[in-house]
Structures are given as C-alpha cells and as structure tokens.
Amino acid sequence: MRDLPQRSNEKGIQMADVAARAQSRKQRDAIPRPVPRLSRLAVERAMSSHDQIAAILGTEILRGIHRPGDNMPPEPDLITRFQVSRTVMREVTKTLAAKGLVVSKTRIGTRVRDPVHWNFFDVDVLVWRVRIGLDDEFMRSLTEIRRALEPTAAALAAQRRSVKDIAQLREYVREMGHSGHSRQSFAEADLDFHLAIGTASGNPMLRSMASVIEAALVASFSHSSPVDDASDHEVTVNSHAAIVDAIEARDEQAAAAAMLKVIDIGVRRIDSTRKKRGANR
C-alpha cells in the first residue's frame, strides 16, 4: 500500500471522505444483490484517509518495521509524510492504540506494544495480517482457535437449534454443492454456513467470531479450494451436511466431531497443496 497523495488541509480530506462515502453508498444501492461476505478480507475496499494511514502504520507494525518497544516516528514526521493535520494523525494513533498496537505516554511518545497485546480478534488487524502473507505460524494459530471454538458452537447448536436454523443450514449446504463455483463464491457460501452455526448456537460471543472464521477461509482458499477438484468438493460438501445431520438429531458430540473433521479436512488440503508445490520446484 502506498502513502497517501498530498492534501492541502484537513477540510479538504473531510470533504473528500464525505464524497467518497456518498459515492460508495450510491454504488451499493445500485447493486441488486448482497455485497460478497468475504469482501473485507479478500479485496480492497474504499477507505478514508484516516483508515488508509491506520492501515499503513498498522501493517508496518505487524511487519516489524516498527518493532515492539520502539517509538513510532515523531508526530511531525508522520504529519509531513502523510500530509494531514495533527487532528487526523492523533485520531489514527488513537485507533492503533485501541487495537492494542501502540501506547502513548507523555514525554515518551507513541511506543509499539508487545505482540501479546495486539488484538487479533479485531477485523482490521486480521485484514492487515492476512495481506502480509500466510506463514505457517499464522495458519496454525487460525486453525487452533477454530478447533477450540467451532466444535463448541456446533454442540451448542445441537442443543438449541430451531427448525428455521436447520432449514437455513441445509440451504447453505445446497449452495456449497452447486457446480460452477469460483473459489470466492464457494468461500462465501462456506462462510455463511459457519456463521449460521454461530447463530444457531445461541451464543452471541461465538457469533462474533466471524472475522476469525473469515480470515481462516480466505487464508485457506488462497492456497487451495475444494472447487479445484470434483472429488474434494463432494467430500467437503458431504462433511458439512454431516454437521447439519448431527445438529438436527440434537447429537452434541457428533456435531462437535463433525465440525472438527471439516476443519481438519481443510488443514490437510493446504498441507497437500504445499507439498505438491514444493515437489514441483
């Protein structure tokens, strides 16, 4: 991501932001279908100058350009770099602080915090992390949090599901089973399925894990996708259907086990793809 184009003053930035938001609303209203669910992580989105600066600096922190324990560049230097007002720059610093990336102290400056404080449940932080690249440690962390939480969500859904929940889950499985999917469209249907499990669990905190699931799916399908192979596609769809069968039967253990199987199938697919690519080098 490049630094922002020069702007004469804060008023000009604010006017541009208002115009951009108005144009964005107009474009959304003209589209007679839902915005793709994975758009936030998978593709670039229109951002205000504040968001762009936060994304640039946040990404630099995650990359290690600004290391934990080090001070961020002085505020005047950042104002000069991005050609924005002190007000905008201070709002950016507040945003980064709210995400656990930095802390500001009088007479010390703005310091990068230890990674233990970084909020990876924050959607923006996950966006920036996904765009940096998908190393083994990141993929392992995503898999571990999914294995810790999604089976529990499936088990709770088996306890609390409604007839409407089952119908919705069946519909998402049918959508996943359609032929002609792109990686993006299949991932969107898959995400809808997993979010519906969270809803059926009746636990709003589990439902709020959407950004983590989304990041995991984007990361997974950037390597490989079930739609790349017909037999893999069938196995994946059937394994999701097995989750719904267990939830409908109110079998908590079976629902949790079926969810673990789905997660592990995705992990094995990535490992297999990586090995094949390594062998072809």
Side-chain angles (χ1 to χ4, degrees), residues 80-126:
T80 300
R81 174 184 176 185
F82 295 111
Q83 291 295 294
V84 294
S85 70
R86 178 177 295 177
T87 300
V88 171
M89 201 62 244
R90 289 185 174 178
E91 287 302 313
V92 170
T93 300
K94 289 179 182 178
T95 295
L96 296 176
K99 299 177 187 301
L101 300 178
V102 301
V103 61
S104 295
K105 294 184 178 180
T106 305
R107 291 189 292 272
I108 294 178
T110 300
R111 183 164 294 175
V112 179
R113 301 187 74 185
D114 188 277
V116 71
H117 298 292
W118 299 353
N119 182 13
F120 281 104
F121 289 129
D122 181 274
V123 177
D124 287 326
V125 176
L126 273 174

Side-chain angles (χ1 to χ4, degrees), residues 38-79:
L38 293 178
S39 59
R40 176 136 191 170
L41 287 171
V43 300
E44 296 293 331
R45 60 187 178 90
M47 295 189 293
S48 68
S49 58
H50 167 280
D51 289 343
Q52 290 183 55
I53 298 171
I56 292 168
L57 295 178
T59 300
E60 289 178 354
I61 290 171
L62 295 176
R63 285 184 182 277
I65 294 174
H66 310 295
R67 299 178 65 83
D70 290 349
N71 275 17
M72 293 292 288
E75 185 179 86
D77 292 356
L78 293 174
I79 289 172

